[in-house]
Amino acid sequence: MNFSVSVFLGTLIPILVVILASFLVEKKFAKRFKPRWKTWWLIAHIFFVVLYFSGLLGTLLLSLSTAFTDRPGLIYAAHLFIQFFDWFLIIPGAFGSLTTGFGLAVGTWGITRHYWVIAKWVGNSMAILFGAMCMRVWIHDSFPILFADGMNPLQNPVYLENRRLLVMGTLISLSILTFLVLISYLKPWGKRKKYKRSRKSSAGRETVPSA
């Protein structure tokens, strides 16, 4: 696997920018979203999550389908469409869901108040980095090498190994995304102790009668 520092930094820096901007916005604007704005942010978030899921499921389906055909043209076309899925569904879906997820956190739950919110943005960030450093190699970087010499891909051990890794990587990404969707619905683990104590302290001050 080729480790590309430029790709790693080019992926990490936008993630850090989104995280930093979200913390700054949350610190400066403490108000929560009005119901209408929360609804629109939620719609946008769901839209990008659907894009993300669609791209990963399409990639899995096409990569598995190549095991049931011996026609090089169909195999080539399947991997070409996998590239399109990555460019136009997975990458926009991943960054869009990360950005809108931070927007929802800032305007609704807070970025660091709940364990499940922290798990979501950390998990999504790690999934994006995994896609940039691993999936990118199996989808894009290997494509010209695997199909350049005109050899039947099914007779090329490098192609067969690359396809195996692509299927495994897609399953890993789908597992991470499914986990993130589940904790979005279940909202487990509750608030961090720091914010539980501050809430109790605020409630105690409010109940103290004035002299």
Side-chain angles (χ1 to χ4, degrees), residues 137-190:
V137 175
W138 303 325
I139 293 175
H140 298 290
D141 290 6
S142 302
F143 189 85
I145 301 172
L146 296 175
F147 295 100
D149 56 5
M151 178 189 295
N152 188 327
L154 298 179
Q155 298 174 354
N156 185 349
V158 178
Y159 166 76
L160 296 176
E161 175 66 11
N162 187 84
R163 184 178 66 184
R164 183 183 68 84
L165 293 172
L166 176 58
V167 171
M168 291 178 58
T170 306
L171 288 172
I172 291 172
S173 297
L174 277 170
S175 300
I176 295 172
L177 186 55
T178 301
F179 171 73
L180 297 180
V181 170
L182 285 175
I183 64 173
S184 297
Y185 177 73
L186 298 174
K187 298 178 176 57
W189 311 312

Side-chain angles (χ1 to χ4, degrees), residues 1-125:
M1 183 185 300
N2 297 322
F3 182 83
S4 174
V5 176
S6 60
V7 172
F8 177 75
L9 292 177
T11 306
L12 180 62
I13 290 174
I15 293 174
L16 294 178
V17 168
V18 171
I19 294 174
L20 179 60
S22 301
F23 273 103
L24 293 175
V25 169
E26 184 180 47
K27 186 176 181 180
K28 189 171 183 179
F29 304 100
K31 294 182 179 180
R32 295 291 178 246
F33 280 151
K34 294 179 180 179
R36 185 180 67 176
W37 282 105
K38 180 183 175 181
T39 299
W40 283 112
W41 273 98
L42 186 59
I43 290 172
H45 187 60
I46 292 173
F47 171 77
F48 285 113
V49 171
V50 170
L51 280 187
Y52 200 174
F53 253 120
S54 300
L56 288 173
L57 288 172
T59 297
L60 181 63
L61 177 63
L62 288 176
S63 57
L64 289 174
S65 71
T66 60
F68 300 97
T69 180
D70 57 357
R71 297 172 63 181
L74 291 179
I75 295 174
Y76 179 90
H79 284 274
L80 184 63
F81 275 100
I82 287 173
Q83 289 191 324
F84 292 156
F85 286 167
D86 191 50
W87 285 328
F88 301 112
L89 294 177
I90 296 176
I91 294 175
F95 277 101
S97 61
L98 179 71
T99 304
T100 54
F102 268 111
L104 278 171
V106 169
T108 308
W109 299 287
I111 298 174
T112 58
R113 291 177 181 270
H114 298 79
Y115 288 109
W116 67 271
V117 174
I118 297 173
K120 274 201 67 176
W121 59 262
V122 170
N124 202 353
S125 300

